[in-house]
Amino acid sequence: MEKDLFETLREIDTPTVCNAIEVALGARGHYFYSRGPVATTGFGGKPIVGRALTAKIRASEPFEGSADQARGRRMAYYKYMAEGVRPGIAVLEDLDKPNICGAYWGEVNATVHKAFGIAGVVTDGLVRDLGELPDGFPIVAAEIGVSHAFVHVVEIDTPVSVFGMEVNPGDLIHADIHGAVVVPREAEPKLAAAVAEMIETESIVLGPARNADGYDFETFRKSWEAFENRRK
């Protein structure tokens, strides 16, 4: 069940999810994770897990259209976020990259989205107002900024590319202080079992290493051999 999967994923970090996806897919090196450094805020030791609610933003130039059109686009965006799938994560692509210049995420937007029930944010744009952001609303961003410039929503509910990670609306996202990963649809039914299998397999090496009394190369060699045999 999806609820059970989400509960499992909330107990592990994003690197562990990446490893578990490889176990579920039976292949190493999938390409659905974020690249590059991230700036994070609001994480209290737990990751965020949810379905992607996507949009694209731009801040380097004003909205092309009338004030009424801008208001209509803005309200359509907020309605989408307020009424979208739950648990939901806002995933926003900043079209100004690599020259990002205006923060969409600050005290106001973070507080509004948290009130909507959004679990958190993944964006390759800016975050600001670090001292005023609401508690319990994690944000993964590219950088910390100062101004909002001309920031506005360009597209809603569309495929986006964030940190080199392609995200479609409704994709399952896992994110923490390391970055984010998209769980491929074909991996979802197998992922909970893959997490358990991976943790058990890694314990073959980690158990002896953590019990360091008498640990030597021969102990390592035997445990690593057993580890590799288990992964075949």
Side-chain angles (χ1 to χ4, degrees), residues 54-56 91-93 155 158-162 165-169:
T54 63
K56 296 180 181 180
V91 182
L92 270 65
E93 176 181 359
E155 295 181 20
T158 187
V160 296
S161 178
V162 178
M165 180 178 69
E166 303 300 318
V167 183
N168 292 300

Side-chain angles (χ1 to χ4, degrees), residues 9 12-14 17 40 43 46-50 89 121-122 138-140 165 173-181:
L9 295 180
I12 58 177
D13 62 22
T14 304
V17 176
T40 63
F43 284 96
K46 291 284 188 178
I48 50 175
V49 183
I89 295 177
V121 178
V122 176
I139 297 175
V140 177
M165 180 178 69
I173 304 293
H174 189 285
D176 67 5
I177 58 174
H178 300 89
V181 63

Side-chain angles (χ1 to χ4, degrees), residues 53 76-86 116 118:
L53 295 164
Y77 167 86
Y78 285 120
K79 181 178 176 63
Y80 171 64
M81 289 292 170
E83 299 179 357
V85 64
R86 294 293 185 272
F116 282 157
I118 300 295

Side-chain angles (χ1 to χ4, degrees), residues 3-212:
K3 182 179 179 181
D4 294 334
L5 174 59
F6 282 23
E7 289 177 355
T8 296
L9 295 180
R10 289 190 185 101
E11 298 302 316
I12 58 177
D13 62 22
T14 304
T16 300
V17 176
C18 287
N19 290 353
I21 290 171
E22 294 177 351
V23 173
L25 295 180
R28 186 167 181 167
H30 69 88
Y31 298 100
F32 310 103
Y33 52 87
S34 60
R35 270 83 160 163
V38 295
T40 63
T41 182
F43 284 96
K46 291 284 188 178
I48 50 175
V49 183
R51 298 287 177 184
L53 295 164
T54 63
K56 296 180 181 180
I57 58 173
R58 187 185 302 281
S60 58
E61 56 191 43
F63 176 81
E64 293 183 357
S66 67
D68 285 343
Q69 289 172 324
R71 189 176 302 109
R73 176 76 56 78
R74 188 179 305 117
M75 289 302 104
Y77 167 86
Y78 285 120
K79 181 178 176 63
Y80 171 64
M81 289 292 170
E83 299 179 357
V85 64
R86 294 293 185 272
I89 295 177
V91 182
L92 270 65
E93 176 181 359
D94 193 321
L95 296 176
D96 291 324
K97 62 178 181 290
N99 300 311
I100 51 178
C101 60
Y104 190 77
W105 296 101
E107 180 184 13
V108 173
N109 260 331
T111 301
V112 167
H113 284 72
K114 181 183 179 182
F116 282 157
I118 300 295
V121 178
V122 176
T123 180
D124 57 3
L126 302 178
V127 62
R128 65 176 186 164
D129 298 338
L130 299 186
E132 287 77 38
L133 295 173
D135 292 335
F137 189 73
I139 297 175
V140 177
E143 298 176 19
I144 297 168
V146 176
S147 174
H148 56 207
F150 295 109
V151 72
H152 59 276
V153 175
V154 177
E155 295 181 20
I156 305 165
D157 195 26
T158 187
V160 296
S161 178
V162 178
F163 298 113
M165 180 178 69
E166 303 300 318
V167 183
N168 292 300
D171 279 348
L172 177 54
I173 304 293
H174 189 285
D176 67 5
I177 58 174
H178 300 89
V181 63
V182 175
V183 178
R185 294 282 182 174
E186 62 270 28
E188 286 190 31
K190 310 171 186 177
L191 195 58
V195 169
E197 178 183 344
M198 187 198 64
I199 292 174
E200 183 177 350
T201 300
E202 289 184 348
S203 70
I204 295 172
V205 172
L206 293 175
R210 285 170 174 163
N211 183 21

